[in-house]
Amino acid sequence: MSAPYLLFTRRCEFCGKTVDGAVRVCGECKESVIPISGDHCNCCGLPKKRCRCGKGHHFYDDVTAPYIYVGGAKALIRRYKFSPDPDCAKTIAHGIARGFSACYSPADVDMIMSVPQTANELSSRGFDQAELLGRICSVILDVPYHGLLKKLYDTDSQRNVAGSERAGNVFGVFDILAGHSKHVEGKNVLLVDDVKTTGATVDECSKMLKLYNCNKVIVSVFAVDEPEGRKENNNG
Ligand SMILES: [Zn+2]
Ligand SMILES: [Zn+2]
């Protein structure tokens, strides 16, 4: 294979495998992604007909996502977790912005924030994946990015904590940067993250924002997880 040919190698924008021709997504990912369209549940973010969350109390006002956290969408998030690949970041951020824009206009929010990390977590990961997504969304939607949330303590990764214990794992770990609480008062915030599983993390962030009299928090992620038991049924 000659070098010039390599220049035209295309990769699936979800899983990163080489694809032939002009397609952007490989056959496997095309088959496996489940886009979210139509009415969705404002608690779990799933299409209403797939929701079985029971709408427990939550502090955010809505959650939007273009995909369910399975197949190609899951593969892309996993790739991004371990490497700050700018192409991954762009694909994810454009998806987040598309999910948001299906329900809202940029004028509906005053600022974009992201789920923060501690300095320790940042140095072990090497980059702030949610902030990068928030900043790209800021350019796409032309809404200012304000990193006003901070994380006070290191926590176990939510992936290593049982679903029922995730709210406890992040309880009280977020706050607004000192001197900035006035800047969220009465404001509508778009809170960006890559994926929402139980929602404990984004809800804890939303709780702090509401404590400082933020008016509305719309959570926008690339994919929302579906509770066990529905994952094999891709027909609904
Ligand atoms: Zn693929
Ligand atoms: Zn629901």
Side-chain angles (χ1 to χ4, degrees), residues 12 15 26 29:
C12 168
C15 70
C26 77
C29 288

Side-chain angles (χ1 to χ4, degrees), residues 118-158:
T118 64
N120 272 344
E121 289 166 349
L122 204 57
S123 71
S124 69
R125 277 217 182 103
F127 75 116
D128 189 329
Q129 56 203 29
E131 178 178 346
L132 181 54
L133 298 176
R135 288 191 181 279
I136 302 173
C137 285
S138 165
V139 174
I140 299 168
L141 298 170
D142 196 19
V143 172
Y145 177 88
H146 292 305
L148 301 185
L149 282 166
K150 67 174 173 183
K151 190 172 181 186
L152 304 169
Y153 318 103
D154 299 338
T155 52
D156 286 333
S157 165
Q158 291 288 68

